[in-house]
Amino acid sequence: MLTLIRTRGPLGGTGRAGRLRRAAAVAVAVAAAVPLATSCAAGTSVLDKDSLVIGVKKDQPGLGNLVSGRYEGFDVDVATYVAAKLGKQARFVPAPSSQREKLLMDGAVDLIFATYSITPERKTKVAFGGPYYVAHQDTLVRTGQREINNVRDLRDRKLCQVTGSNSWKRVKEERKIPVVLVPSASYSECVADLRSGKVDAVSTDDLILAGFATAGTSIVNAPFSDERYGVGIRSGDIDGCEAVNKAITEMYQDGTAKKLLQKWFAKSGLALNFSVPQFEGCG
């Protein structure tokens, strides 16, 4: 409640004293309104929701895949576990790489579990819980393509570039390897282009590649980066972020993380990590 204190006479008095009293009253009103606005913003936390809308991938086997109208995969299972720990029901919607920040900033989703690597650039727009897993970037090639044994062998070759993904930047910008980028809308499209010969390689997180590595393709098994899979959350929701981190910690401590990783990737041959990842912090 806002209370104005009259010191001498009405605020609408004439002369210089009246003008000063009116200015002081306006300043008090503005100062009092600031906490009110802050308290309204506090109601946007995921902890205040009855249920959660969670963005996941719909075309990444083993991680987020839409099969017969139902989402499945490691990311989906982790999201379901975290939502349950928060005491919420989860509803899943697709979150393409190019739209993840916009979906969060517009309020279309509450959380994102979609192979969402934590980067300084993304942290200027959204916040991150986790990471809930640390993957490593590797390269997928056609079986028998023996000339490509590591990322340096991609020089002057055609590399798939997914809109909204940072993976191609790890090759071309960070390691300065001159590749020919071939744009694509998704990694499922990239793998189709690899099989058809439109591109020479697909380079991204090993968990993503593991889901696509089928007959005719193979993973080089020469990782060259750490990809920290974070839980996308709107900036400023510190309480929600801390609750997500607590749930992820419990997921590793009670053995669920190990079971889920083995469920989806045991046959891939990847060296899986079952330890709690080092969190980013929610400040």
Side-chain angles (χ1 to χ4, degrees):
M1 181 178 68
L2 174 62
T3 303
L4 299 181
I5 302 175
R6 293 186 177 182
T7 53
R8 287 183 57 193
L11 289 174
T14 60
R16 183 170 181 272
R19 289 195 298 273
L20 289 175
R21 284 194 294 272
R22 287 194 298 273
V26 171
V28 171
V30 170
V34 172
L36 292 175
T38 302
S39 65
C40 290
T44 61
S45 172
V46 295
L47 300 181
D48 299 325
K49 306 277 187 174
D50 293 328
S51 61
L52 299 177
V53 179
I54 300 179
V56 296
K57 290 297 181 67
K58 68 173 184 178
D59 57 358
Q60 288 184 351
L63 287 159
N65 203 24
L66 184 59
V67 180
S68 301
R70 185 180 181 87
Y71 288 94
E72 64 177 28
F74 176 68
D75 283 358
V76 177
D77 285 350
V78 172
T80 301
Y81 179 97
V82 170
K85 285 293 183 179
L86 299 183
K88 315 292 182 183
Q89 293 290 323
R91 178 169 67 87
F92 297 106
V93 297
S97 296
S98 60
Q99 298 178 24
R100 289 177 296 200
E101 285 88 13
K102 188 176 188 302
L103 287 170
L104 278 172
M105 295 168 71
D106 290 350
V109 300
D110 300 304
L111 297 172
I112 286 184
F113 288 76
T115 60
Y116 202 7
S117 295
I118 302 170
T119 68
E121 179 183 2
R122 287 170 176 166
K123 287 172 70 174
T124 65
K125 301 175 183 177
V126 301
F128 286 96
Y132 57 92
Y133 191 73
V134 180
H136 307 284
Q137 185 160 337
D138 212 315
T139 306
L140 187 73
V141 298
R142 287 184 293 277
T143 301
Q145 203 167 3
R146 297 184 179 86
E147 340 39 83
I148 300 178
N149 297 301
N150 56 59
V151 66
R152 294 183 297 278
D153 292 337
L154 295 178
R155 182 183 182 89
D156 297 328
R157 297 184 183 277
K158 291 178 288 185
L159 178 69
C160 201
Q161 175 192 19
V162 173
T163 304
S165 172
N166 284 311
S167 295
W168 66 271
K169 296 180 181 179
R170 305 264 191 251
V171 178
K172 184 167 183 142
E173 295 182 0
E174 293 182 9
R175 282 159 185 79
K176 310 298 182 185
I177 297 173
V179 293
V180 179
L181 297 175
V182 180
S184 180
S186 67
Y187 281 107
S188 58
E189 186 176 304
C190 276
V191 175
D193 289 344
L194 176 66
R195 291 195 177 104
S196 70
K198 184 177 178 179
V199 299
D200 298 310
V202 180
S203 184
T204 190
D205 312 347
D206 51 9
L207 293 191
I208 296 176
L209 297 180
F212 286 118
T214 56
T217 64
S218 58
I219 299 174
V220 171
N221 279 319
F224 57 91
S225 76
D226 289 339
E227 302 300 328
R228 298 163 298 159
Y229 286 175
V231 182
I233 188 169
R234 279 189 289 279
S235 294
D237 189 1
I238 295 177
D239 289 342
C241 177
E242 290 177 344
V244 166
N245 284 351
K246 183 175 182 292
I248 293 171
T249 300
E250 293 175 357
M251 182 181 71
Y252 276 87
Q253 290 177 340
D254 66 18
T256 300
K258 181 177 180 179
K259 291 177 182 177
L260 295 180
L261 286 164
Q262 290 178 328
K263 170 185 175 182
W264 293 106
F265 305 109
K267 297 179 181 179
S268 68
L270 297 177
L272 301 171
N273 190 342
F274 306 128
S275 301
V276 183
Q278 183 175 347
F279 292 155
E280 286 288 301
C282 297

